[in-house]
Amino acid sequence: MDFFNSTSFLKIGGIVLAAVGVLGFLGLIGPTPEQSIFGSFWWFDNLENFAHLLLGVVGLVVAFYLPMNLHKPVTLLVGALALFFALYNLISTNFLGANLENPADLVLHLAVGAWALYSALNKKA
């Protein structure tokens, strides 16, 4: 499986994001630093858990049920969204009430954004 194409990004990223959302709601990586297996270094509050779960489900729906010609634009959008949150995290650790850990969330959003944009723009895929 090529990890660097839009469809693979949506499938793998969708599974990971949905899992992160569910694990957050179960208390393994949130909703408080005391409950996170990563402690105060990295945890997701319930707003983040909801956003991750929603984005994961949307990614999976797009990957499995929508035409392939929509995979690239959705992957580009996810990449831009991830990079937005990485840049936003440079100036604030709060977005509409959701907690953004720094540097953990910043690094994660940069990595996801780079993976998404590379996957969408990869000419070999």
Side-chain angles (χ1 to χ4, degrees):
M1 171 187 253
D2 180 12
F3 292 102
F4 298 107
N5 66 56
S6 294
T7 302
S8 293
F9 171 82
L10 292 168
K11 288 177 181 178
I12 297 166
I15 290 168
V16 170
L17 278 172
V20 164
V22 169
L23 291 172
F25 282 126
L26 293 176
L28 295 174
I29 48 179
T32 66
E34 294 78 26
Q35 293 173 306
S36 174
I37 59 175
F38 301 106
S40 62
F41 175 73
W42 198 40
W43 62 281
F44 301 121
D45 59 33
N46 283 332
L47 285 173
E48 289 178 287
N49 293 329
F50 178 75
H52 292 147
L53 181 59
L54 180 66
L55 284 170
V57 169
V58 167
L60 291 169
V61 167
V62 171
F64 287 104
Y65 296 106
L66 294 182
M68 297 250 332
N69 66 334
L70 294 177
H71 294 190
K72 181 177 178 176
V74 170
T75 301
L76 284 169
L77 180 63
V78 171
L81 188 64
L83 291 180
F84 166 80
F85 280 105
L87 294 173
Y88 186 86
N89 199 196
L90 289 172
I91 59 171
S92 178
T93 57
N94 186 296
F95 182 81
L96 299 178
N99 182 60
L100 298 173
E101 297 298 322
N102 194 343
D105 276 350
L106 181 130
V107 172
L108 176 69
H109 288 127
L110 278 175
V112 170
W115 176 29
L117 294 179
Y118 182 80
S119 296
L121 301 173
N122 183 7
K123 299 292 184 200
K124 296 178 187 175

